[in-house]
Amino acid sequence: MRVAIPNGAGHIAPSLSCVDILVALYYQCLSYNPKNTLWEERDRLIFSKAHGAYALYAILVDLGIIPKEEWDNFYIEGKSKLCGCAERRLEYGLESGCGSLGHGLPLAVGIAFGAQLQKKSYYTFCIVGDGELEEGTNWEALQFGVKHDVKNLIVIIDKNRLGAMDFLTNIMDRDEEDLAKKLSGFGLSPVICPGHDVVKLADCIKTAKVSSGDVPRVILVKTIKGFGLKCMENVPKFHFRIPNEEDLKKGKTYDSEF
């Protein structure tokens, strides 16, 4: 918030829904070396819901991977390399560019399958939004992952129930359990996890890494879009809209600064 609002950057709400997922991953679960972002045995994170990249940037700055001045000038043309949607910069710990939503999961399946063929031990994680799962390429990718036993892939779905314009039950889903049913129909066994409890999130992710089975692991994380800001929580219009002073006066539901 300290950077996004003064710099004129929208997409705050989708960033807030996934920040706790990223905290659990980077501080407790990923096999990752912040001092060497090119370490060959690192776990890969494909951040498919690239509209929520602000949360990812903030954590990579905190870990000393992205220079602080890049974050301070984020979204200001000519002053920072950090864009509104994440672009691939391995030196900054950004494994992929996913500005065109719906393509990160197919990319993650390919990376995981390639690692499996090479008998590599690292995992590939993919954070995907439930809204972008309306695109068919994701289901083709999951079908491939199940068919070819891509068991080194862990898919984490940010299930905030909202797309860019409205609630998903007003667009494509019949009910809020529709996504879990579809995943099960593809031969997957989604695990449900609360989205804003870092301890429980870390436990779910660690369990997924050691679970047996021959198909990708899927964690359905129940989140709140705009979590932490009362003016934004579960409000569709705040997908990209920047809150004004009057909006912010409604307060927040967390104690620390983001």
Side-chain angles (χ1 to χ4, degrees), residues 6-106:
N7 290 10
H11 289 144
I12 296 169
S15 300
L16 290 174
S17 71
C18 65
V19 64
D20 291 309
I21 298 171
L22 289 163
V23 167
L25 276 169
Y26 275 95
Y27 296 98
Q28 298 192 48
C29 300
L30 284 183
S31 180
Y32 192 77
N33 182 359
K35 295 182 179 179
N36 182 9
T37 59
L38 299 179
W39 177 43
E40 181 58 30
E41 297 305 316
R42 72 188 181 281
D43 286 341
R44 271 65 166 172
L45 172 62
I46 305 301
F47 191 73
S48 187
K49 56 161 287 173
H51 286 171
Y54 310 176
L56 179 59
Y57 294 159
I59 287 171
L60 294 175
V61 171
D62 185 60
L63 292 173
I65 300 170
I66 293 178
K68 187 175 183 299
E69 57 270 22
E70 290 280 3
W71 179 228
D72 290 338
N73 293 310
F74 155 65
Y75 209 73
I76 301 177
E77 188 175 355
K79 290 189 175 183
S80 176
K81 300 182 182 70
L82 300 180
C83 304
C85 291
E87 294 184 352
R88 187 173 190 261
R89 290 187 178 276
L90 290 181
E91 72 276 18
Y92 286 177
L94 303 169
E95 297 279 356
S96 64
C98 295
S100 180
L101 299 187
H103 303 296
L105 181 52

Side-chain angles (χ1 to χ4, degrees), residues 162-209:
L162 278 158
M165 305 299 292
D166 202 350
F167 286 92
L168 299 184
T169 50
N170 294 330
I171 305 171
M172 294 286 281
D173 286 353
R174 293 165 297 179
D175 55 61
E176 291 191 7
E177 306 307 317
D178 208 20
L179 179 55
K181 295 173 188 174
K182 285 185 279 190
L183 291 164
S184 297
F186 270 68
L188 298 161
S189 300
V191 173
I192 311 297
C193 186
H196 301 293
D197 184 323
V198 174
V199 173
K200 289 182 179 178
L201 278 165
D203 286 343
C204 282
I205 296 167
K206 290 174 183 177
T207 299
K209 289 186 81 169

